[in-house]
Amino acid sequence: MSRPTIAQLRAFLALAEHLHFRDAAAALRMSQPALSGAVAALEEALDTRLVERTTRRVLLTPAGERVARRAESIMDELDRLVEEVNAVRGPLVGPLRVGVIPTVAPYLLPIVLPRLAAEFPDLELTVHEEQTEQITAELLAGRLDVILLALPVNAPGVTELTLYDEDFVLVAPAGADLPGGALPRTALADLDVILLNEGHCLRDQALDVCREAGARATAATYATSLATLVQLVSGGFGVTLVPETALPVETRAAPGLTPHRFADPAPYRRIGLGFRATSPRSAEFETLAAALRTAVAEEIAAVRLPA
């Protein structure tokens, strides 16, 4: 019996998680034939059937279930080995896999990435943009090292570091009948608020603000991005809530809009880092958080740093 390779174990673990060859291949960003070949090679190396292939999905055999449990512990130990070596080499040296939510990535990354490259020249950064649920799952599965998202994470085993708070701003057509000056939250009660599609944490946060104000969301109109959302407002479909960091970028591309800020205490969201509580790189992530806070403080005046 020959020994399995790391690549074979990784492919089999993805298949055991997704129980679908196409989905498992997509999760590993590899071709489906390559994944199928790796799993077949693992079965040959172990001289046993690990999966039962049906027309629609994959089932694990009893041997496959045992191999999946052992393979997961092996990959966890390998990840810890890499993390411990990187921690010894120095802060923010070597590979760092970062997940970022879509309502943060286009507004924050252009500010912080050049600074990180200058301050930590030996950092090998890769960025994966996806919604909160996906990057949190990727983090806990060991495929990401740290995630940048709205807090709280609401997942066991994730440690949070606050980066900054930013207010929500009401964006409305220029001719909207709204009072001047700072808006009370109750002003939302008379407006049609359009939101992002389900799965975006910004949608959930905006819904919370609307509920508190007794407002209703427009059920017929949703968008997949903040850019589309603001364009819909520009086209007269309603109003929406936009985080301060996104406001300059998105309103610049949409004519005929007026931002309205809320009276204190304004609704806001908290942005932070999340990482596995078991990671030996916690000191590195503290360093990363400090660098991000410094960049944000110097470049974005509208946000508030933690005390």
Side-chain angles (χ1 to χ4, degrees):
M1 184 182 296
S2 59
R3 289 187 176 183
T5 67
I6 299 301
Q8 292 167 1
L9 293 177
R10 183 176 289 112
F12 177 66
L13 270 179
L15 184 60
E17 178 183 352
H18 294 279
L19 296 177
H20 196 287
F21 278 94
R22 184 185 63 237
D23 294 344
L28 293 181
R29 299 176 180 84
M30 64 189 300
S31 69
Q32 186 172 330
L35 183 130
S36 298
V39 173
L42 179 61
E43 290 181 317
E44 183 177 351
L46 297 176
D47 193 24
T48 189
R49 285 276 302 277
L50 301 177
V51 297
E52 178 185 342
R53 297 162 176 83
T54 70
T55 55
R56 293 191 175 185
R57 59 180 306 189
V58 172
L59 302 175
L60 297 185
T61 65
E65 292 178 355
R66 295 188 66 179
V67 170
R69 289 194 296 269
R70 292 290 286 169
E72 186 172 3
S73 64
I74 290 169
M75 298 306 296
D76 286 344
E77 284 301 311
L78 283 173
D79 287 340
R80 287 185 63 81
L81 173 64
V82 173
E83 290 177 343
E84 289 172 3
V85 170
N86 285 334
V88 171
R89 290 168 62 188
L92 299 178
V93 172
L96 183 68
R97 302 163 298 177
V98 181
V100 191
I101 58 174
T103 58
V104 168
Y107 318 113
L108 188 62
L109 293 184
I111 293 171
V112 302
L113 290 183
R115 287 172 170 265
L116 291 177
E119 190 172 350
F120 306 103
D122 295 322
L123 179 63
E124 301 167 16
L125 192 68
T126 56
V127 177
H128 176 52
E129 182 185 14
E130 194 51 86
Q131 294 177 11
T132 299
E133 184 177 352
Q134 283 76 23
I135 61 172
T136 303
E138 294 275 295
L139 174 74
L140 293 173
R143 291 188 285 270
L144 292 174
D145 301 308
V146 65
I147 52 178
L148 180 57
L149 72 174
L151 302 181
V153 178
N154 292 327
V158 177
T159 297
E160 302 174 1
L161 297 175
T162 300
L163 295 179
Y164 61 87
D165 294 340
E166 60 176 333
D167 289 344
F168 286 109
V169 179
L170 181 71
V171 174
D177 184 17
L178 289 168
L183 283 178
R185 294 195 193 197
T186 52
L188 288 170
D190 300 322
L191 302 172
D192 289 331
V193 183
I194 59 176
L195 304 173
L196 291 172
N197 284 340
E198 290 186 9
H200 290 273
C201 63
L202 184 59
R203 167 191 168 87
D204 298 330
Q205 294 159 348
L207 278 172
D208 288 341
V209 174
C210 290
R211 291 189 191 103
E212 291 174 7
R216 62 185 179 86
T218 302
T221 304
Y222 297 125
T224 59
S225 69
L226 270 176
T228 302
L229 203 60
V230 173
Q231 290 291 340
L232 288 171
V233 174
S234 178
F237 278 84
V239 302
T240 195
L241 297 170
V242 176
E244 278 278 8
T245 54
L247 191 65
V249 175
E250 300 304 348
T251 56
R252 190 183 308 128
L257 296 176
T258 300
H260 299 267
R261 287 175 172 78
F262 290 93
D264 291 334
Y268 71 96
R269 70 172 182 172
R270 174 162 291 172
I271 302 300
L273 291 180
F275 59 91
R276 291 184 300 280
T278 56
S279 175
R281 303 178 69 180
S282 58
E284 281 191 86
F285 300 144
E286 292 276 5
T287 301
L288 175 63
L292 294 176
R293 289 187 200 105
T294 299
V296 167
E298 293 179 359
E299 298 289 341
I300 308 176
V303 303
R304 298 181 300 279
L305 299 186

